[in-house]
Amino acid sequence: MSATPGTHMKHEIDQQPAIFADLLAAQEQFAEVAAVIAERRPRFALLAARGSSDHAALYAKYLIEVLLQLPVGLTSPSTTTLYGARPDLTDVLLLTVSQSGGSPDLVAVTESGRASGALTVAVTNTTDSPLASAAELSLNIRAGAEQAVAATKTYSATLLALYLLIDAIRGGGAALARTLPDLAATTLADAADPVEEAVQRYRFAGRMVTTGRGYSLATAHETALKLAETSYLSARSYSGADLLHGPVAAIDAETAVLALCSAGLGGESTREVVEAVHQRGADICAIGSAASKTPAAHRIPVPESAEEIAPILEILPAQQLALGLALARGIDPDNPRGLQKVTKTT
């Protein structure tokens, strides 16, 4: 680990615009895998992942259901590893997402799925991993080695890789993503001051709630995870709809709420949720391209983009906030207590 707290995490956050540019230049791998999937014409998609990769898989769930009009489910790996379930997966697309490719249960799910008839695709940052070997096809997210314990560049690169794959399956040419490297650089630069103000505002917060709807729900979940693992905050994430069905009762003036509010249907719906939360006195920080239209005590703007790629930009200031809060609270996010880079679950 670096002697200077947060050095690795900051460096990897700053690398993301270049990583996006590299992924966009690697269209061939997405086109090749997409062609196989399109030829097989799956009737259903399943997604398997853990941790941050599970949030990326949730993003892919929205993409597949909306852009490909396919039903999608999230697997429960323990049904395979603990209970020995072997459902018939004929004509099913099984996408397994893992930056390390080393989780035994995800490898087991992929091997079982392939043996049960699924078309298996691994999305990983480690091309020689057991997961990549277990799957019929694999995609490299090309993020490079990640030194920080908290995933930053591997998470956003996974989001972009999943978008590029799904866009290629529907015959798209990644047109909506072409400007992502420049938009990401602008986001990181423009968010620096608002993020620092948010750090000073929330450095003593005891609990936070993150919320979003649609594509941005993945960002809400990932942001809560980053805050918990780097700053040891009690952070929970909810979809806007779920937040209003019970958990809102626990929100008061002592609660900080981070709301993902980007242009599009999901952001519009989230603003309605924020208005309800605002009435309960919560301290609200709005993050996104529609933050200026949201009732909030603090705002972190993000450049506007197509709604389906907004989560790739939204997560950048959230990562900066997690880093800043950890440092302000005297915590080294490169060496969080009790955490390792690769978690091997069974």
Side-chain angles (χ1 to χ4, degrees):
M1 291 295 174
S2 169
T4 304
T7 296
H8 291 314
M9 187 174 178
K10 183 181 186 308
H11 177 63
E12 290 166 2
I13 290 172
D14 292 343
Q15 285 182 310
Q16 291 171 103
I19 291 169
F20 297 165
D22 179 65
L23 261 179
L24 285 163
Q27 287 292 301
E28 186 175 340
Q29 67 163 336
F30 300 104
E32 290 176 352
V33 173
V36 175
I37 295 172
E39 183 180 0
R40 298 280 189 91
R41 298 178 63 84
R43 59 181 173 83
F44 191 88
L46 280 174
L47 300 164
R50 292 287 198 193
S52 289
S53 294
D54 199 37
H55 303 153
L58 177 60
Y59 170 66
K61 183 178 187 294
Y62 275 87
L63 289 173
I64 294 170
E65 289 183 345
V66 176
L67 303 184
L68 301 184
Q69 298 288 297
L70 278 179
V72 184
L74 298 174
T75 66
S76 299
S78 62
T79 62
T80 297
T81 58
L82 294 183
Y83 298 100
R86 297 293 186 272
D88 181 2
L89 299 183
T90 304
D91 297 328
V92 171
L93 169 64
L94 174 60
L95 280 173
T96 308
V97 186
S98 170
Q99 71 89 11
S100 70
S103 180
D105 60 342
L106 295 180
V107 173
V109 167
T110 303
E111 291 174 339
S112 174
R114 188 171 181 178
S116 298
L119 170 59
T120 52
V121 180
V123 181
T124 180
N125 195 41
T126 312
T127 56
D128 60 351
S129 64
L131 177 61
S133 299
E136 182 177 343
L137 303 169
S138 66
L139 288 169
N140 181 3
I141 69 170
R142 302 170 65 91
E146 194 169 52
Q147 300 300 316
V149 173
T152 54
K153 65 178 184 176
T154 54
Y155 175 74
S156 61
T158 300
L159 295 187
L160 180 53
L162 288 165
Y163 172 77
L164 293 175
L165 171 63
I166 293 161
D167 184 57
I169 294 171
R170 67 170 177 169
L176 296 179
R178 295 293 179 192
T179 59
L180 264 176
D182 290 338
L183 291 176
T186 298
T187 299
L188 290 171
D190 290 353
D193 288 342
V195 165
E196 179 55 31
E197 293 170 8
V199 167
Q200 298 310 313
R201 188 178 188 93
Y202 302 118
R203 63 182 300 180
F204 299 114
R207 57 178 178 168
M208 285 192 176
V209 169
T210 64
T211 187
R213 295 202 72 181
Y215 297 108
S216 296
L217 179 57
T219 310
H221 288 338
E222 177 64 10
T223 299
L225 174 61
K226 285 293 159 287
L227 293 170
E229 69 183 350
T230 60
S231 300
Y232 313 152
L233 272 166
S234 176
R236 294 288 303 272
S237 61
Y238 300 95
S239 78
D242 289 338
L243 181 58
L244 295 184
H245 285 81
V248 70
I251 292 179
D252 55 26
E254 301 300 316
T255 308
V257 176
L258 302 184
L260 283 304
C261 301
S262 286
L265 297 175
E268 291 175 7
S269 180
T270 299
R271 286 201 300 276
E272 298 172 4
V273 175
V274 172
E275 290 172 359
V277 172
H278 178 68
Q279 293 175 6
R280 300 189 65 85
D283 190 306
I284 300 169
C285 176
I287 301 176
S289 59
S292 63
K293 302 176 182 178
T294 304
H298 188 69
R299 299 176 179 87
I300 302 176
V302 172
E304 187 168 343
S305 66
E307 183 177 8
E308 56 261 48
I309 61 173
I312 304 172
L313 297 174
E314 292 168 343
I315 194 58
L316 304 182
Q319 293 170 348
Q320 290 175 310
L321 179 60
L323 169 63
L325 282 173
L327 296 176
R329 293 160 72 95
I331 300 166
D332 181 3
D334 287 339
N335 190 27
R337 64 190 180 206
L339 295 182
Q340 299 177 352
K341 185 60 187 171
V342 178
T343 301
K344 295 186 179 297
T345 55
T346 57

